Amino acid sequence: MSIGEVLALLQGEFPDVTVSKIRFLEGEGLIEPERTPSGYRKFTHADVERLRYILTAQRDRYLPLRVIKDHLEEADRRVFHRPRPVADPAPPPQVRLSREELLEAASIDADTLDELESYGLIAPQARRYDADALQIARAAGELARFGVHPRHLRAVKAAAEREAGLVEQAVAPLLRRRAPGAAAEAEESARELSGLLLDLHAALLRVGVRGVLGR
């Protein structure tokens, strides 16, 4: 298959994928399509499945490319033929829930959801809720058992927005570039920065909790 044919196969499931993104993934060494004598890329079905694994891991698990590459290299070491994607344990499907479905899936009541929305912690799109909204709602329901309610979570939201601002500031120069692959590079940088900030946040929270407990 040509790169255009691969794009047509993937865009139904991954609307944001572009030719530049595929070339960027090749440049990063995650895929290695064959080349015709005239230099054109020639993709096999195995290449497409490998791309599908990479794009799913980015979208659904928010993994940075360096982690995805490690997974793929480990899979490659276990086989002697054309590399195949790592079997991923049940990646979460695209979630589009109604209000009633979200309340049931998150085990929260309507008042809690109203409060989460009023503080901007959850914002439905076209009256539907995605996987992030479900995760926030579930966490809020569990936190309520400890007396932590949506109004207390405004500080958490503010901190997350400040961290997102740091990511935006860091990738802004990449987004202004017009070179091929710049958008894909910016996307990957944003993912890696997000992961690093999450690690930092978790470590700082552990230090803070130890201080609360006097340890």
Side-chain angles (χ1 to χ4, degrees), residues 11-212:
Q11 276 190 321
E13 188 177 354
F14 307 97
D16 295 334
V17 70
T18 62
V19 168
S20 294
K21 175 67 178 273
I22 295 173
R23 288 173 177 162
F24 173 75
L25 294 173
E26 180 185 0
E28 293 295 306
L30 280 91
I31 55 171
E32 297 179 7
E34 296 178 10
R35 295 275 186 158
T36 66
S38 55
Y40 289 104
R41 295 170 178 83
K42 185 171 64 174
F43 293 82
T44 66
H45 288 288
D47 292 321
V48 174
E49 288 308 307
R50 192 176 179 96
L51 275 168
R52 183 173 281 114
Y53 168 76
I54 295 165
L55 296 170
T56 300
Q58 284 188 311
R59 181 193 65 194
D60 295 345
R61 300 178 62 195
Y62 219 65
L63 294 179
L65 285 185
R66 58 184 174 79
V67 175
I68 298 172
K69 190 173 183 179
D70 287 344
H71 290 179
L72 290 169
E73 288 176 351
E74 177 61 28
D76 293 346
R77 283 193 289 270
R78 292 198 297 264
V79 295
F80 299 97
H81 49 77
R82 183 76 177 175
R84 299 178 61 188
V86 178
D88 196 33
Q94 287 290 85
V95 175
R96 302 294 294 169
L97 301 175
S98 68
R99 180 180 175 84
E100 292 71 24
E101 288 169 337
L102 179 69
L103 292 173
E104 181 177 358
S107 300
I108 61 172
D109 57 35
D111 289 341
T112 299
L113 180 53
D114 288 340
E115 197 174 356
L116 289 169
E117 291 182 353
S118 71
Y119 290 121
L121 292 157
I122 289 178
Q125 300 293 325
R127 298 185 178 182
R128 293 284 166 175
Y129 299 86
D130 61 14
D132 289 328
L134 175 58
Q135 185 173 352
I136 292 167
R138 280 176 171 164
E142 292 296 316
L143 286 167
R145 296 192 298 110
F146 297 91
V148 179
H149 300 288
R151 66 181 180 276
H152 302 128
L153 301 178
R154 288 178 293 179
V156 178
K157 180 176 184 291
E161 289 172 346
R162 287 194 296 271
E163 290 173 2
L166 290 175
V167 174
E168 180 182 14
Q169 182 180 347
V171 303
L174 292 172
L175 292 172
R176 288 195 293 268
R177 285 170 48 192
R178 297 183 179 274
E185 187 178 351
E187 180 184 348
E188 174 56 21
S189 295
R191 291 180 189 278
E192 187 154 4
L193 280 165
S194 298
L196 292 169
L197 286 169
L198 284 171
D199 290 344
L200 176 61
H201 181 89
L204 290 172
L205 182 59
R206 287 194 297 270
V207 171
V209 170
R210 285 203 301 270
V212 169

